[in-house]
Amino acid sequence: MLVLITYDVNTETAAGKSRLRKVAKQCTNYGRRVQNSVFECILDQTQCITLKEILSDIIDENVDSLRFYYLGNKYQTKVEHLGVDRGTAVDGALIF
């Protein structure tokens, strides 16, 4: 299923800047960045639960926030894009 993950991490402190980098790195491990604090991830149920646990352990719930949008398996009709695209489609093939 396609999961859109957005986050807002308070970066007023060094600890906040560190949390921001950690959240971004974990999201990069599971999907692709489509905007500064927005990632598209194709996940199965287990991966989704795992990533949510990892991210919730990183953030400070008193000052940071995470949002998960579950767009399902038929997400192609639910996503519209205008403007510059960032990289390869999340479900596209990668050739090394």
Side-chain angles (χ1 to χ4, degrees):
M1 75 179 134
L2 178 65
V3 179
L4 191 71
I5 300 172
T6 66
Y7 55 87
D8 186 17
V9 176
N10 184 312
T11 58
E12 294 177 359
T13 65
K17 291 176 184 175
S18 176
R19 288 193 312 274
L20 177 67
R21 286 189 299 275
K22 289 176 183 179
V23 168
K25 180 164 176 43
Q26 288 303 319
C27 288
T28 301
N29 290 339
Y30 285 86
R32 77 172 182 139
R33 183 187 302 261
V34 293
Q35 292 186 356
N36 286 338
S37 296
V38 181
F39 281 80
E40 289 179 345
C41 304
I42 299 287
L43 305 170
D44 61 31
Q45 190 67 28
T46 302
Q47 291 171 318
C48 189
I49 291 167
T50 300
L51 180 55
K52 188 186 288 188
E53 288 175 0
I54 291 169
L55 295 177
S56 67
D57 287 343
I58 294 171
I59 68 163
D60 178 345
E61 292 185 11
N62 295 312
V63 293
D64 305 332
S65 69
L66 286 169
R67 293 179 71 95
F68 296 84
Y69 298 89
Y70 303 99
L71 300 177
N73 291 322
K74 297 184 183 190
Y75 59 87
Q76 291 89 348
T77 60
K78 298 176 185 174
V79 178
E80 182 177 352
H81 177 92
L82 301 173
V84 176
D85 195 7
R86 290 191 177 205
T88 307
V90 70
D91 60 348
L94 293 175
I95 300 172
F96 294 96

